[in-house]
Each structure stands twice: as structure tokens, then as C-alpha cells.
Amino acid sequence: MAANGASLERRSSVRRSGSTVREEPPPAEEHAAAATGPSDMDVLKEKFSKLLLGEDMSGSGKGVPSALALSNAITNLAAAVFGEQRKLEPMAPDRKARWKKEVGWLLSVADHIVEFVAKKQVLDNGVEMEVMGTQQRRDLQSNIPALRKIDAMLLDYLDNFKDRNEFWYVKRDSCSESEKEEAGSDEKWWIPVVKVPPNGLPPASRAWIQHQKELVNQVLKAAMAINANCLMEMAIPECYLESLPKNGRVSLGDALYRNITDVEFDPDEFLSSVDLTSEHKICDLKDRIEASVIIWNRKVHNKDGKSAWGSAVSQEKREQFEERAQTLLLIIKHRFPGIPQSTLDIAKIQENRDVGFAILESYSRVLESLAYNVMSRIEDVIISDNVAREKAKKDLPPGTEPAPTPLPEGADSMTLLDFMGWNGDAEGKAEDKSPSAADQDDGRLMKLPNIMTNLKNTYMDVLGGHRSPPGRH
């Protein structure tokens, strides 16, 4: 009887366990989540967990500072979203939605960066008194909305190329050698080759594409100005100062030093005398000039701890050399906007501890990169059109003139100044939207409105002196 009772108990327990298993099938929500991917809340938790851990997933406290983690997050997001934008076409809806959503999460940190300001408060008895209140930091309050508008304009410019069938793209592997040479070098082998009709673009399309280039160029200049101002506000790291040579001659080299210290100095002649045929050479020249600027500035204000009595170069000469070097840096940055960051910029970003600066610098940098890529793709279309027109011109009968180019159809499109509500002087109005060829070759910017920066000492002020007289932008 005891054995029969034990067997019955075992069978009943088996039935109970089996029924329990049958009563717990996987929920339908888990199947849906697996099919559609992680939810927004899961992605948000993952992103901010990485920010709090400083990208050190072991949790051992060896991660990077919060400012650098946030800068890397914005940079990596832009690389994932915009890295596939290789053609002049609207962004895919899923990538556009992801960018707007996730960059909004990361920028929300700026809403909680505040500063104390004096405010007037009226008590119940009518007495007015001044109290301290908080508001968003002024540089963020001014520049974050401006960058958001630049972001929206770039996406709108890409949307303008929807259903444009005047040009198309083919894979580089399917082109002949002559077509590859016309398209440019093979360094960017992942960029498809743009094709236009045999006689080139129609006149109206040619004018429209040129107008789009001018609009994107305005946005590029605005993003570059904000990024340059933000980098200028960041302090120079001590590790960079310790790596500097002892004087400007050692930094520049004898040949460059003679050119920049010559009595008759011309920045255009200086740049035409140096080799700027590759990105590496341009970055090397920029690094040398930036290092010499800081060396001269420290010597002018005696921040290197050495006496200037035994120096063969006067203080006035050093100030003049610093001003010339600043001019060269400005021209290089705007003549070659797509070059990588300099050693000084990288050091500033890595050693920066100000989260507000990290947000402004990274957001403006990724928008500058997107604007530059869009303008490069537009220039590819213009180059292909010019090549096709030159070929077609050879087949024209003698004495035949090409048809004049009409005004662009989208000439009334909203420009950067209209979109952002900036009211500049005559240099920023509609008649100057098309910069002359001389201005483009010179690399100098159109006049932009003043951009708000945090009221902290710049690195020139930290060194103990004033900035060079010429404006940077």
C-alpha cells in the first residue's frame, strides 16, 4: 500500500509539473519584441548606461570622463546614421527617425546645464527684491537651437533631391578606366560614380544644382563657425604644452620660418609655396602653424618661465608672426574644410571636462561633416556635367554658342539667414548668396552673425594676454 501510494504521488507530481510547463508559454510581447528589435526604452537605457559608466562596461571606474563619453556617443551615432549617405537622395525614413530620436536624447543633457542669474521677484506685500535663479547656460541657450535648425535644413536639402532624374549613379566597378579618371581618384572607392546625359544637364537643372550648392555652403560655414568658436573656448591641455618645441623656428622648420617672418609676407604666396597635395601634408602644416602660434603667444606674455632679455626676436615681431600664423590657419581651415582635426583639437576634445562644450563641439562637428559630404556630392555632379558639356562642345558646329543659363527654379528657396531669422548687414543679404570665385579661392567666410559662447576665458586669455586683432570668422 505504501509503494502504491508513493507511485501515485509521483505520477500526480509529474502531471502537476507538466501542467505547469504547459501553462507558461512565451508571451506574445516577447515574440513581437524579438521581431521588431529593442524598444526605445531599452535603447535609451543602454545609451545612458554607457554614459554613466564612461564606456567602461566592467564598472571598475576606469572609464572616460562624462564629457568625452557624450562626445563619442554623438560622433558614433552620426557615423552609424550618415555613414550610408553616399548619394544625393533623401535619407531613409528609418535612419532619419533614428537620428532625430537618439540625438534628441543626447542633447537633452544640455537642458540641465544651468547657471545662476539675478532675477527680480515681487513679494506679496509689493516689495521688489533681487534673488538668484537658474537658467540654461547662455552659450547652450543660443547655439543648440541654431545647430538644430542647421540639422533640419541639411535634411531638407537632401529631401530636395527626391525624384531628380537628371543624373544617376552607377557602381565604380562597372565603369571604364576613362570614366573612373573623370570621376576622380580611387581613394573614395566606396562612393558611386555619378552619370549625366551625354550633352550634360539641362540649363534649368544645372542652375538648380548650383543654387543647392550655395545653400549647403552657407550651412557649412555656420557649422564651422560654431565648432571653431567652441574649440577656441576650450583650454589647452598641459600634455600638449609639454610636447611643444622650444621656439617657433623648430616647430615650423627653417624654410617655413623664413617665409612667415619675411618682411613682404603674403599668405597666398606662402600657401602656394608649400606642398598641399595630400591630407597628411595639410594636417602636418596645420599642426606646425598651430604649435608656433601658441609658442609665440606664450613668449609674448612670458608664460614659458624664461626671460626675454636674451632673445633675438622682439615682442612686437612675435605678435606680428602670431597674427600672420592665425591668418594662415583661418585660410587653411576654410580652403580645406574636410581635413581631419589637428593634434591640438584632438588634445582639447580628449582632455575637455566641460559637458556643455563637448555637446556643442561634437554636434557642430558632425553637422559640419554632413554638410561637407553633401556639398562634395553636389560638386561631383557639377564636375560630371562639366566633363559632359566639354565633350558635347567639341561636336558642335563652328560658331555655335551654347544656350544661356536661366535663373534657378528654386531661387526663392529659404536660405540659412531666412530660416534662422538672422538680420545681418548688406554682406549677409540675398544678393551675396553667391560668393565670387575669388572669395571661394581665398577660403574666407561670408560675414555671419555673432555666435554666443560661454563667458569664460579663452585659451589666449588663460595664457595671460589678448587675442590677435583680426577676427577668426
Side-chain angles (χ1 to χ4, degrees):
M1 292 293 294
N4 291 337
S7 62
L8 288 173
E9 184 177 355
R10 285 196 297 270
R11 285 196 294 270
S12 63
S13 65
V14 170
R15 285 195 298 270
R16 285 196 301 271
S17 63
S19 63
T20 302
V21 172
R22 287 192 299 270
E23 289 174 1
E24 295 181 358
E29 291 82 359
E30 295 183 4
H31 287 294
T36 59
S39 63
D40 290 348
M41 183 58 67
D42 293 335
V43 176
L44 182 62
K45 290 178 180 178
E46 178 185 1
K47 283 190 173 296
F48 280 90
S49 297
K50 290 181 179 179
L51 293 178
L52 291 173
L53 294 171
E55 301 178 353
D56 177 22
M57 308 312 292
S58 67
S60 59
K62 298 179 180 179
V64 300
S66 300
L68 183 57
L70 188 55
S71 176
N72 291 340
I74 295 176
T75 303
N76 294 336
L77 173 63
V81 174
F82 300 133
E84 301 178 11
Q85 195 70 31
R86 303 171 184 175
K87 303 178 181 179
L88 289 176
E89 60 184 7
M91 284 184 62
D94 56 339
R95 289 193 288 119
K96 181 187 290 187
R98 179 191 174 188
W99 168 253
K100 290 182 177 180
K101 176 178 60 181
E102 296 188 15
V103 80
W105 293 344
L106 298 174
L107 294 180
S108 65
V109 178
D111 298 335
H112 305 278
I113 300 177
V114 297
E115 62 184 357
F116 283 103
V117 295
K119 296 182 179 180
K120 291 183 178 180
Q121 183 177 356
V122 180
L123 302 181
D124 296 337
N125 57 4
V127 177
E128 185 179 278
M129 61 183 302
E130 194 173 71
V131 298
M132 296 301 293
T134 59
Q135 69 176 19
Q136 188 181 25
R137 214 169 73 184
R138 278 175 286 180
D139 58 335
L140 301 176
Q141 193 176 15
S142 174
N143 289 328
I144 291 294
L147 290 173
R148 281 188 173 276
K149 290 181 179 180
I150 290 174
D151 187 351
M153 292 187 72
L154 284 174
L155 299 182
D156 290 341
Y157 290 157
L158 287 174
D159 291 338
N160 290 342
F161 289 94
K162 183 179 180 181
D163 300 329
R164 304 294 299 193
N165 53 8
E166 299 92 343
F167 58 91
W168 61 95
Y169 292 90
V170 296
K171 293 183 179 180
R172 191 173 290 267
D173 297 338
S174 62
C175 297
S176 61
E177 292 299 327
S178 60
E179 291 176 334
K180 290 181 181 179
E181 293 178 0
E182 295 172 357
S185 63
D186 294 334
E187 294 180 359
K188 298 182 179 180
W189 51 266
W190 62 91
I191 301 296
V193 177
V194 63
K195 305 288 288 184
V196 297
N199 294 329
L201 296 174
S205 299
R206 189 181 309 125
W208 182 84
I209 197 76
Q210 184 66 37
H211 182 62
Q212 296 302 308
K213 177 185 174 182
E214 294 167 1
L215 295 177
V216 176
N217 190 34
Q218 288 184 0
V219 174
L220 173 62
K221 291 175 180 179
M224 290 173 64
I226 295 177
N227 185 261
N229 269 326
C230 186
L231 284 171
M232 184 185 67
E233 296 289 343
M234 293 182 183
I236 302 177
E238 287 296 328
C239 59
Y240 179 83
L241 294 176
E242 293 172 357
S243 67
L244 292 176
K246 61 180 181 179
N247 54 47
R249 181 187 291 272
V250 175
S251 175
L252 290 171
D254 291 337
L256 295 179
Y257 182 81
R258 283 195 301 269
N259 290 339
I260 205 171
T261 58
D262 190 17
V263 177
E264 300 295 335
F265 173 75
D266 186 352
D268 292 324
E269 291 183 3
F270 178 90
L271 293 177
S272 62
S273 64
V274 295
D275 187 3
L276 301 176
T277 56
S278 66
E279 268 189 2
H280 174 73
K281 295 177 180 178
I282 298 172
C283 291
D284 180 67
L285 177 63
K286 186 178 178 182
D287 287 339
R288 290 171 177 268
I289 296 177
E290 279 185 338
S292 64
V293 168
I294 297 174
I295 292 171
W296 285 326
N297 185 272
R298 286 172 62 82
K299 287 183 179 293
V300 166
H301 305 292
N302 200 22
K303 289 296 180 178
D304 55 359
K306 299 179 182 179
S307 175
W309 284 100
S311 176
V313 182
S314 64
Q315 300 289 77
E316 292 77 11
K317 285 291 184 181
R318 286 200 180 102
E319 291 179 354
Q320 183 185 30
F321 299 160
E322 179 197 348
E323 180 181 338
R324 291 176 176 181
Q326 294 280 16
T327 303
L328 290 172
L329 287 176
L330 179 65
I331 297 176
I332 290 174
K333 182 171 180 61
H334 296 295
R335 186 176 294 183
F336 307 100
I339 60 174
Q341 291 174 313
S342 64
T343 303
L344 175 59
D345 293 343
I346 294 174
K348 284 185 175 183
I349 294 171
Q350 291 179 344
E351 300 297 327
N352 171 54
R353 298 296 182 267
D354 191 304
V355 178
F357 284 162
I359 294 175
L360 288 179
E361 191 283 326
S362 57
Y363 193 29
S364 60
R365 171 163 40 86
V366 298
L367 293 180
E368 176 185 338
S369 177
L370 175 61
Y372 175 75
N373 289 335
V374 173
M375 197 167 69
S376 298
R377 302 291 79 79
I378 294 177
E379 289 175 349
D380 292 342
V381 177
I382 295 175
I383 291 173
S384 298
D385 175 56
N386 291 337
V387 172
R389 290 169 60 194
E390 289 297 327
K391 288 183 178 179
K393 193 179 296 184
K394 296 178 181 178
D395 300 333
L396 289 176
T400 305
E401 295 292 336
T405 302
L407 293 174
E409 297 177 358
D412 57 346
S413 300
M414 183 174 292
T415 65
L416 177 67
L417 301 180
D418 299 331
F419 189 92
M420 304 189 72
W422 287 341
N423 294 321
D425 54 8
E427 293 180 37
K429 299 209 180 278
E431 57 265 28
D432 288 332
K433 286 190 295 184
S434 302
S436 63
D439 292 338
Q440 291 177 350
D441 292 340
D442 185 61
R444 293 182 174 84
L445 284 175
M446 58 178 279
K447 185 172 182 180
L448 292 172
N450 292 331
I451 296 175
M452 186 69 182
T453 57
N454 193 28
L455 297 182
K456 293 184 178 180
N457 292 335
T458 65
Y459 72 83
M460 292 300 183
D461 298 328
V462 171
L463 292 175
H466 302 283
R467 295 194 202 107
S468 299
R472 290 176 181 266
H473 305 290

